[in-house]
């Protein structure tokens, strides 16, 4: 059984997709051990509660310094000892000591086809604004392992989504969530639970199902 911790900040629609796919059996052999939010008002916390999933809030605002917050987050996760940490819209910079402690055991979803529109400053609607400003005809989403760079870790899955001439950043954001994010994040977790994802020399490989 793959025990996962899901870290969230806001709406939690990716968390919801993971919950739904565990409940309908699409994600196999996986349980959510804990949902952790940095924001006590996150709708994601309500979603966890509704499905009887343990949850807690660890907010930088409640600590005297970022260092103490980082230590508390790391201690909470070390005590929980999940097999995988899933960043599902977590808007906090992951401290390097946490990345080292959970090497190739943290995954993130980014709303573009990495290496386009990623890295420092590319988050939320800014990603989609930049894609539209550049006039790309295809965008999408990427699930990747987290390393010490920003959006630079080994890529696990990507899914392309067509950009329409009428798209606004908000419309494109929503379509990428529906058509890509909510599909590839659950799929990546299922593949990891099945032991089908390996990282060799900084590149992730997937052993495809033969059946
Ligand atoms: C998603 O667009 C994700 O790609 C980004 O943050 C957003 C989270 O949305 N990293 P939600 O909280 O899962 O609804």
């Amino acid at each position: 059984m793959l025990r996962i911790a899901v870290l969230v900040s806001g709406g939690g629609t990716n968390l919801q997709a993971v919950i739904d796919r565990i409940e309908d059996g699409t994600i196999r052999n996986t349980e959510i051990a804990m949902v952790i939010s940095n924001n006590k008002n996150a709708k994601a916390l309500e979603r966890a509660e509704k499905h009887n999933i343990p949850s807690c809030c660890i907010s930088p605002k409640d600590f005297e310094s970022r260092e103490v917050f980082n230590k508390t987050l790391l201690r909470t996760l070390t005590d929980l000892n999940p097999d995988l940490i899933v960043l599902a819209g977590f808007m906090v910079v992951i401290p390097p000591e946490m990345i080292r402690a959970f090497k190739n055991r943290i995954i993130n979803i980014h709303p573009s086809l990495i290496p386009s529109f990623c890295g420092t400053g590319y988050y939320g609607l800014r990603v989609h604004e930049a894609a539209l400003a550049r006039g790309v005809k295809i965008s999408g989403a990427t699930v990747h392992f987290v390393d010490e760079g920003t959006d630079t870790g080994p890529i696990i899955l990507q899914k392309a989504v067509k950009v329409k001439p009428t798209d606004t950043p908000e419309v494109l954001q929503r379509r990428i969530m529906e058509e890509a994010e909510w599909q590839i994040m659950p799929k990546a977790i299922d593949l990891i639970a099945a032991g089908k994802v390996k990282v060799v020399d900084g590149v992730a490989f997937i052993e495809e199902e033969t059946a």
Side-chain angles (χ1 to χ4, degrees), residues 118-136:
C118 64
T120 308
Y122 286 101
Y123 60 87
L125 275 179
R126 290 177 187 215
V127 176
H128 309 292
E129 283 163 3
L132 292 176
R134 185 63 184 85
V136 294

Side-chain angles (χ1 to χ4, degrees), residues 4-22 27 32 35 43-45 47-48 51 53 86-91 107-112 124 128 140-143 173-189:
I4 65 174
V6 185
L7 274 52
V8 297
S9 296
T13 61
N14 280 284
L15 167 67
Q16 189 67 54
V18 173
I19 294 172
D20 292 346
R21 297 292 80 78
I22 289 175
I27 302 178
I32 303 178
V35 170
K43 188 167 162 48
L45 287 173
R47 296 180 193 269
H51 291 264
I53 297 165
V86 176
L87 307 181
F90 190 56
M91 301 298 283
I107 63 172
N108 180 49
I109 180 99
H110 182 78
S112 75
H128 309 292
T142 303
V143 181
Q173 178 183 53
R174 180 73 192 181
R175 183 161 358 91
I176 287 175
M177 288 175 127
E178 287 174 354
E179 293 182 10
E181 295 183 37
W182 302 344
Q183 297 180 25
I184 61 175
M185 180 61 112
K187 176 82 183 158
I189 295 169

Side-chain angles (χ1 to χ4, degrees), residues 110 112-123 127 130 144 150-152:
H110 182 78
S112 75
L113 294 174
I114 290 174
S116 291
F117 312 115
C118 64
T120 308
Y122 286 101
Y123 60 87
V127 176
H144 63 94
T150 306
D151 301 327
T152 53

Side-chain angles (χ1 to χ4, degrees), residues 8-155:
V8 297
S9 296
T13 61
N14 280 284
L15 167 67
Q16 189 67 54
V18 173
I19 294 172
D20 292 346
R21 297 292 80 78
I22 289 175
E23 290 186 352
D24 73 14
T26 312
I27 302 178
R28 293 156 289 184
N29 221 11
T30 299
E31 70 171 10
I32 303 178
M34 178 80 83
V35 170
I36 300 175
S37 174
N38 66 307
N39 164 14
K40 67 176 171 25
N41 298 316
K43 188 167 162 48
L45 287 173
E46 288 172 32
R47 296 180 193 269
E49 199 176 325
K50 202 170 160 204
H51 291 264
N52 297 316
I53 297 165
S55 63
C56 67
C57 172
I58 304 175
S59 168
K61 291 182 192 153
D62 296 333
F63 297 90
E64 67 264 33
S65 67
R66 182 54 74 131
E67 203 188 336
V68 182
F69 162 76
N70 285 348
K71 276 191 180 150
T72 308
L73 182 62
L74 180 57
R75 190 172 355 99
T76 305
L77 284 163
T78 310
D79 290 349
L80 188 68
N81 193 25
D83 301 303
L84 184 71
I85 297 170
V86 176
L87 307 181
F90 190 56
M91 301 298 283
V92 171
V93 175
I94 302 299
E97 52 274 30
M98 186 168 135
I99 294 167
R100 283 194 290 273
F102 291 91
K103 189 171 162 57
N104 290 336
R105 286 201 289 151
I106 308 176
I107 63 172
N108 180 49
I109 180 99
H110 182 78
S112 75
L113 294 174
I114 290 174
S116 291
F117 312 115
C118 64
T120 308
Y122 286 101
Y123 60 87
L125 275 179
R126 290 177 187 215
V127 176
H128 309 292
E129 283 163 3
L132 292 176
R134 185 63 184 85
V136 294
K137 306 301 178 241
I138 293 170
S139 191
T142 303
V143 181
H144 63 94
F145 285 110
V146 174
D147 68 6
E148 292 190 25
T150 306
D151 301 327
T152 53
I155 291 171

